[in-house]
């Protein structure tokens, strides 16, 4: 009787041990899936990151268009007050453009050579604007207008093309990055799921084997005692 009680204690201890192991594995599984979910959320935020860059590029586009419009006002102005007011507006928006370009350079996830070239193009446009302003202040409005409508307008078109290229590049990179991350995340989840299922199955088989062995040993011992 004492022997049977001892075996029962062993049996329940073994069973309890396997229950604890399975519970720990379940906790591990839940923790792993939580981590993958966190990774997925992080990936989404990283995907949104290039769109912040794209928005900044669009802001630069709007500022360039506005500056070009004010530059036309410079060429069309016929009094110093209007002239200087337009120049002030151009310089204010120039500051905004440089701030946005610096933001884009610091945040862009990829080759930054395109952004550097766009910044150089904007800087070169400053020489054209300075020429127009100088001519307007000298009263040479027709010459200022010709430059604004000629090489000034062509340079604006060049810059807009560069900015559109940056937007497309950022969007394509963001989509590519998100797809790769999602694929890797799905593979990782599948691997974790397979490992957990395999571990549960193996634990169950081991538990069944050990419990059966204990029961068989008890049966043989009881039979021998009879």
């Amino acid at each position: 009787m004492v022997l049977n009680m001892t075996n029962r204690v062993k049996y329940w201890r073994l069973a309890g041990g396997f229950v604890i192991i399975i519970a720990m594995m379940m906790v591990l599984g839940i923790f792993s899936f939580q981590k993958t979910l966190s990774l997925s959320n992080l990936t989404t935020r990283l995907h949104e990151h290039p769109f912040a860059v794209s928005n900044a590029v669009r802001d630069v586009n709007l500022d360039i268009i506005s500056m070009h419009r004010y530059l036309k006002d410079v060429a069309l102005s016929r009094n110093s007050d209007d002239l200087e007011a337009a120049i002030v507006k151009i310089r204010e928006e120039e500051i905004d453009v440089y701030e946005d370009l610096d933001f884009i350079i610091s945040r862009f996830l990829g080759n930054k050579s395109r952004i550097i070239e766009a910044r150089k193009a904007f800087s070169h446009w400053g020489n054209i604007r300075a020429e127009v302003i100088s001519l307007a202040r000298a009263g040479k409005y027709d010459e200022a207008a010709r430059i604004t409508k000629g090489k000034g307008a062509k340079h604006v078109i060049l810059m807009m093309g560069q900015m559109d290229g940056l937007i497309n590049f950022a969007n394509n990179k963001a989509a590519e990055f998100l797809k790769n991350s999602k694929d890797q995340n799905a593979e990782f989840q599948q691997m974790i799921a397979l490992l957990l299922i395999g571990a549960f199955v193996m634990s169950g088989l081991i538990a069944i084997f050990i419990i059966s062995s204990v029961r068989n040993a008890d049966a043989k011992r009881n039979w021998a005692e009879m």
Side-chain angles (χ1 to χ4, degrees):
M1 185 68 177
V2 175
L3 187 59
N4 288 338
M5 182 62 69
T6 302
N7 287 333
R8 287 177 183 175
V9 171
K10 291 180 178 179
Y11 166 77
W12 286 112
R13 283 180 178 176
L14 286 170
F18 278 106
V19 168
I20 292 173
I21 291 174
I22 292 173
M24 291 176 64
M25 293 177 65
M26 290 180 65
V27 171
L28 175 62
I30 294 172
F31 176 77
S32 297
F33 278 109
Q34 286 179 340
K35 284 296 183 183
T36 55
L37 180 61
S38 176
L39 176 62
S40 178
N41 292 334
L42 177 61
T43 300
T44 300
R45 289 195 297 271
L46 289 173
H47 176 58
E48 293 171 351
H49 184 90
F51 286 116
V53 172
S54 298
N55 290 335
V57 174
R58 291 188 179 95
D59 289 341
V60 170
N61 276 346
L62 293 175
D63 287 336
I64 289 174
I65 293 171
S66 180
M67 290 174 67
H68 185 56
R69 185 173 63 248
Y70 284 124
L71 196 61
K72 289 180 180 178
D73 292 341
V74 168
L76 295 173
S77 63
R78 291 299 181 267
N79 63 73
S80 60
D81 290 340
D82 293 341
L83 174 61
E84 295 303 324
I87 293 172
V88 168
K89 290 293 185 181
I90 290 172
R91 289 175 177 170
E92 287 176 351
E93 297 197 352
E94 180 183 24
I95 293 172
D96 292 338
V97 170
Y98 276 121
E99 288 178 353
D100 285 333
L101 288 173
D102 289 340
F103 171 82
I104 295 168
I105 291 173
S106 66
R107 297 294 185 89
F108 194 73
L109 301 176
N111 191 333
K112 299 183 179 182
S113 60
R114 294 188 180 188
I115 306 171
I116 294 172
E117 288 300 318
R119 199 178 193 282
K120 288 180 180 178
F122 181 76
S123 179
H124 179 65
W125 188 38
N127 297 330
I128 299 175
R129 296 196 308 271
E131 186 178 1
V132 171
I133 291 170
S134 178
L135 288 171
R137 281 175 170 168
K140 299 178 181 180
Y141 299 111
D142 291 339
E143 292 182 40
R146 280 196 296 270
I147 293 174
T148 302
K149 295 177 181 179
K151 64 180 179 181
K154 290 180 180 179
H155 200 79
V156 168
I157 293 172
L158 170 66
M159 289 186 294
M160 297 293 287
Q162 289 176 323
M163 294 301 164
D164 290 341
L166 287 178
I167 292 174
N168 293 333
F169 183 78
N171 290 344
N172 291 336
K173 279 295 182 181
E176 178 184 348
F177 176 76
L178 181 61
K179 181 181 181 302
N180 292 337
S181 297
K182 281 188 173 181
D183 290 343
Q184 293 177 8
N185 188 47
E187 291 177 2
F188 179 69
Q189 287 184 342
Q190 290 176 359
M191 181 184 69
I192 291 294
L194 291 174
L195 288 174
L196 288 173
I197 291 171
F200 286 144
V201 171
M202 290 298 297
S203 297
L205 293 175
I206 292 172
I208 292 171
F209 174 76
I210 293 177
I211 292 170
S212 297
S213 298
V214 171
R215 286 181 174 177
N216 291 335
D218 286 345
K220 290 180 181 180
R221 188 177 294 105
N222 294 334
W223 177 261
E225 291 176 353
M226 293 177 59

